[in-house]
Amino acid sequence: AGCFSMALSAGLEKAGHPPKRISTVATVKLETVEGAPKITIIDLKTEADVPGIEPAKFQEIAEQTKKGCPVSKALTGTQINLDAKLL
């Protein structure tokens, strides 16, 4: 969650829309797969206060962040769901 928030903040700022606040909660599902624990699903719930940004642009940047976040890249093969809300 922390990594996603920092990456989203950087992406928004780069696009000319510095956020006032971002809050992200990650819910992780850990299951036994082939006899070993594995993270199978991560649900990210993000709320952001970003003055002056259009909702569609915010969603676009949030989705790009989900794909490009270092943790997302490290967990390739894990399903990551995103619920991003603009306040």
Side-chain angles (χ1 to χ4, degrees):
C3 181
F4 180 82
S5 288
M6 289 187 299
L8 179 58
S9 178
L12 289 165
E13 192 153 343
K14 185 177 178 182
H17 299 285
K20 287 176 104 177
R21 183 179 75 82
I22 297 175
S23 176
T24 304
V25 175
T27 304
V28 177
K29 185 172 185 179
L30 184 65
E31 297 181 281
T32 300
V33 176
E34 298 178 4
K38 180 180 179 184
I39 295 172
T40 56
I41 299 173
I42 300 173
D43 290 316
L44 295 172
K45 184 170 183 169
T46 299
E47 294 183 343
D49 183 358
V50 187
I53 194 168
E54 294 294 321
K57 184 66 175 174
F58 171 74
Q59 291 298 325
E60 175 187 327
I61 294 170
E63 282 295 325
Q64 288 172 351
T65 301
K66 180 183 88 168
K67 293 174 187 168
C69 174
V71 172
S72 296
K73 288 180 179 180
L75 295 173
T76 300
T78 299
Q79 178 181 334
I80 300 175
N81 303 315
L82 175 63
D83 175 13
K85 180 180 178 185
L86 185 59
L87 301 177

